[in-house]
Amino acid sequence: MKCLLVHLFLFLSFSIIQASAQVPKLSQLRVQGNKFVTADGKTIIFHGLNASDPDKLEKSGHWDKSYFEEMKRWGATLVRFPVHPTAWRSRGKEQYLQLLDKGVTWAGELGLYVVIDWHSIGNLKNEMYQSPMYETTQKETFEFWRTMSEHYKDNTTVAFFELFNEPTVMTGKLGTCSWPEWKKLMEETITIIRANGAKAIPLVAGFNWAYDLTEVAKNPINAEGIAYVSHPYPMKREKPWEDKWTADWGYVAKKYPVVLTEIGFCGPDDKGAHVPVISDESYGDAITRYCDTNGISYIVWVFDPQWAPMMFTDWNYTPTRQGRYFKKVMQEYSVKK
Amino acid sequence: MKCLLVHLFLFLSFSIIQASAQVPKLSQLRVQGNKFVTADGKTIIFHGLNASDPDKLEKSGHWDKSYFEEMKRWGATLVRFPVHPTAWRSRGKEQYLQLLDKGVTWAGELGLYVVIDWHSIGNLKNEMYQSPMYETTQKETFEFWRTMSEHYKDNTTVAFFELFNEPTVMTGKLGTCSWPEWKKLMEETITIIRANGAKAIPLVAGFNWAYDLTEVAKNPINAEGIAYVSHPYPMKREKPWEDKWTADWGYVAKKYPVVLTEIGFCGPDDKGAHVPVISDESYGDAITRYCDTNGISYIVWVFDPQWAPMMFTDWNYTPTRQGRYFKKVMQEYSVKK
Amino acid sequence: MKCLLVHLFLFLSFSIIQASAQVPKLSQLRVQGNKFVTADGKTIIFHGLNASDPDKLEKSGHWDKSYFEEMKRWGATLVRFPVHPTAWRSRGKEQYLQLLDKGVTWAGELGLYVVIDWHSIGNLKNEMYQSPMYETTQKETFEFWRTMSEHYKDNTTVAFFELFNEPTVMTGKLGTCSWPEWKKLMEETITIIRANGAKAIPLVAGFNWAYDLTEVAKNPINAEGIAYVSHPYPMKREKPWEDKWTADWGYVAKKYPVVLTEIGFCGPDDKGAHVPVISDESYGDAITRYCDTNGISYIVWVFDPQWAPMMFTDWNYTPTRQGRYFKKVMQEYSVKK
Ligand SMILES: [Mg+2]
Ligand SMILES: [Mg+2]
Ligand SMILES: [Mg+2]
Ligand SMILES: [Mg+2]
Ligand SMILES: [Mg+2]
């Protein structure tokens, strides 16, 4: 036992918490049945926007409050921060935390809740990924959540921790991962998060690039107060989508809160068009109607002019085709409210 | 989803495949019962030579077509490339692939099939190895085969992928690894290889430095179209060998193809003499007769003047004792054919 | 097979063993029932002192024979070397081994036995630790013991290998580790140690920072000739301690040897006072009486003027409060003997 280091550590942690305590507090969200509710029991269904990686935005000079103001103007009530493991490592923990702190502060000041998303794609069991930018390890993933949990444990703006963006074995190219193996990794992460004091709601995705939640029916994650995630891009299934969505992930919303942390589309000739996002406004109509009908929250991908499907084309925030579509839809929710 | 990187990635992969497509194609090998057969159903039993590590040969100026011509002259129909993990890492993936591409091209032009061999020795479960040159990880091993599978999926010269050279716990010095644990690692590797499109035949070794296949009887690898490996160096068992060989690994050849990817010997006073390779021509007679009788392929270790037991003494390819022995035996097969 | 490297390796190992063979040999210790006995069957109960990390002592100019002479003067019959993984890596294996060799030699010359302690704190299953200085991996832990076992296999002074200082999940902050998971890691380590020829007695700790051995009752480590460890600092339980100690770890001493490899206390206002070490001489009386009554060995933490609870205040070895207490108690054992 060496007490000096421990004392220093506690002191530093305390200082950080004090600093973030200066941000005005949003109401503490929690899970009640299949809903998200505030401290006073009000249900919230979110319509949000995906930021691009804070590291990318900072490098291009756009990680500032006006970016958040614009997202709010478009109707967002929730913002997702996709933290790429590569960016996390290259910027370094302390520096990256400073970026996140700024974004969380701006979001909180504007009344926007935040999802922190560990933005990897692949098979965490084998530590094999879709491409190098998604490389991480089980250890790094656990430590990331330990850090987030310690750092944001008293911060109510950070309402969600999305544990792993898109689990996939790429039809075996990354080996195998059974649902029980995945479940165990997620439960371990949730244990770590909660033991470190965080009250953020863990978001758990299923296989097939976070599309498929069929395994939840018989073998749900063994933890209270969590929500499930799907990324039902248009080409994951053929139109008409609704019955397939219900069978694949929508049924989960009867019992647990569900957040579609990525939806979006673009036309076949749009910049960045790729499988599985190519579609048209009929997809927008279908997915938003499905969410509205079933009390499901969603977050559109992506509030950036370079990543696809993009929502605007330049830093005047000129909307793209899906930008126009979702801006209108999302602004109407706030009018109705 | 970020499409730009993915497109670039596909483009690069495609370019590489196009390049290797210029090599004249050997007939696609596959497993049929306990045999290797060509596309038109012809059985092949191989008599091959072990190259030393392409990285070593390149560094000493001998990774060239004449090396392959000499191996063919000695009667080889198959060449094994032992890729040491240390060499793989220090040269780097792209640079090492260029070496392999050259060797595969020369082999293909000469009608020689190729085994790519991940040349580690130790306990992959614990990631503990016989010596530092064999250090690797499960992750690196999986990624190596992912890379090989993507890269050579349309290349028929690369007929075999030898998943892990010599599994051994060194009687506990490297901890434990049960057959089910080993089997699972091999099956995961085969899943990765096949999902990435490769048709190369996976070669799976057993414990005791790839000598012992007794576990296969009751608990074979759960995958079709594979073959098994043994390295029955003379001192693994005492003379007379035949019944022991049958019990330890030879029985497998009744049901699956077997390749002895390392055999060889030297006299007790020869340069590099060491356990378990010390013997004499009676070993050569026994092992080649055993293979001929049972339809087993073999590859002699090693076509190099420094690694032991060596087949030649200088770069004029002056044969050593085992060099003389196997050169004669192997050339006679081609005459008979 | 490449024999040259292997020969070189054997040669180097042999040289090292020869060197350490020049140290006069203490009697080979072993486990007999719940006792430690010498080669001629004499039981030894140890009263020892914890050195600080040899790397720290070397850096401050105190890793010398006089340090060991002072420990002997205070009544120590056993010295524990807490090797921090960070120090091991930063100094490097060969350099750190030289430090250890010196300490082992001095100890042996003075008739003191040595515990080599892999001084990590945390969850080895998840490779998550209390703080950065304790970071290690399963692989590094296994390799450390492989190295120690090869290096000290013929050295009788190094009587104990303490496999992992303080296992803890920090109430979930480091995730989970079940007793069977921990047991498996310890059994794997013991396999490695013994296969590499070491006769040192493995010391195995339980959870809660090496306090809790309750799981041993139903599910002991599956290996003969080992001993168990507890670190019963005063605040782990409330006074009166004795019945709780018996239930938590003391009962193990009926069947297996037990060593309390860390005990100690300081007053609430003493330098470095921290949970769980704050107490007074009544703790000293209780724990030493408990050990004497039950044939349990102990080692006081720590013979250093900076780490806490410290035993002396300056390099004249001026005793602290616990220093005065334990110096007196330990010197009396030698008088009685
Ligand atoms: Mg301690
Ligand atoms: Mg790992
Ligand atoms: Mg995505
Ligand atoms: Mg070999
Ligand atoms: Mg590991």
Side-chain angles (χ1 to χ4, degrees), chain B residues 28-265:
Chain B
Q28 176 71 54
L29 272 200
R30 65 192 159 81
V31 168
Q32 192 174 76
N34 65 346
K35 303 272 188 276
F36 301 124
V37 297
T38 59
D40 54 357
K42 190 176 142 249
T43 295
I44 308 192
I45 297 164
F46 290 100
H47 309 105
L49 290 171
N50 271 282
S52 43
D53 192 305
D55 176 75
K56 176 201 189 275
L57 290 164
E58 170 77 6
K59 281 174 178 159
S60 59
H62 298 290
W63 189 243
D64 53 29
K65 191 161 181 184
S66 68
Y67 180 72
F68 286 79
E69 287 165 341
E70 187 70 16
M71 288 195 282
K72 188 179 172 84
R73 222 169 277 133
W74 286 45
T77 54
L78 181 62
V79 181
R80 183 177 183 242
F81 297 171
V83 180
H84 289 67
T86 330
W88 174 252
R89 283 192 300 277
S90 67
R91 189 168 283 266
K93 171 176 152 175
E94 296 309 327
Q95 297 298 311
Y96 206 110
L97 278 172
Q98 289 179 21
L99 279 194
L100 290 177
D101 281 347
K102 284 195 243 173
V104 168
T105 302
W106 295 322
E109 287 168 359
L110 295 164
L112 304 173
Y113 284 95
V114 165
V115 179
I116 292 176
D117 155 43
W118 183 236
H119 203 78
S120 180
I121 303 180
N123 182 358
L124 184 59
K125 187 196 84 174
N126 280 356
E127 300 180 348
M128 296 180 80
Y129 302 93
Q130 181 169 292
S131 61
M133 70 193 304
Y134 301 116
E135 287 283 330
T136 183
T137 62
Q138 292 181 24
K139 153 85 170 166
E140 186 182 55
T141 301
F142 292 155
E143 293 289 358
F144 177 79
W145 290 116
R146 179 188 187 183
T147 298
M148 290 300 124
S149 302
E150 283 170 353
H151 193 71
Y152 291 119
K153 74 175 133 197
D154 294 317
N155 189 304
T156 53
T157 304
V158 181
F160 302 103
F161 284 165
E162 189 168 350
L163 308 189
F164 189 95
N165 171 47
E166 293 189 349
T168 177
V169 294
M170 297 177 73
T171 61
K173 289 183 182 187
L174 311 181
T176 68
C177 184
S178 68
W179 180 257
E181 287 167 337
W182 175 241
K183 188 173 173 286
K184 201 177 160 191
L185 285 165
M186 292 298 94
E187 288 166 357
E188 192 77 12
T189 310
I190 293 167
T191 294
I192 291 166
I193 285 169
R194 289 178 170 170
N196 282 286
K199 292 180 218 85
I201 298 164
L203 302 182
V204 176
F207 293 146
N208 188 0
W209 285 266
Y211 174 74
D212 181 351
L213 291 172
T214 51
E215 298 276 358
V216 172
K218 288 193 184 152
N219 199 6
I221 300 295
N222 186 18
E224 297 296 311
I226 70 158
Y228 289 92
V229 162
S230 180
H231 291 182
Y233 282 106
M235 296 165 84
K236 300 305 281 188
R237 286 293 211 160
E238 295 209 351
K239 219 169 150 172
W241 292 285
E242 288 76 3
D243 290 351
K244 297 158 196 165
W245 286 344
T246 297
D248 294 342
W249 51 267
Y251 79 91
V252 173
K254 301 278 180 226
K255 192 157 173 191
Y256 304 97
V258 169
V259 189
L260 310 182
T261 56
E262 293 187 21
I263 61 169
F265 70 91

Side-chain angles (χ1 to χ4, degrees), chain A residues 84 126-130 133-135 166 171-176 272 274 276 301 307-308, chain B residues 1-7 9 139 142-143 146 150 153 184 188 191-193 195-197:
Chain A
H84 289 68
N126 280 357
E127 301 181 348
M128 297 181 78
Y129 303 94
Q130 181 170 293
M133 69 192 304
Y134 301 116
E135 288 284 329
E166 294 190 348
T171 62
K173 289 183 182 186
L174 311 181
T176 68
H274 67 286
W301 183 270
W307 290 4
Chain B
M1 303 260 161
K2 261 130 275 136
C3 62
L4 298 178
L5 270 179
V6 173
H7 285 176
F9 180 70
K139 153 85 170 166
F142 292 155
E143 293 289 358
R146 179 188 187 183
E150 283 170 353
K153 74 175 133 197
K184 201 177 160 191
E188 192 77 12
T191 294
I192 291 166
I193 285 169
N196 282 286

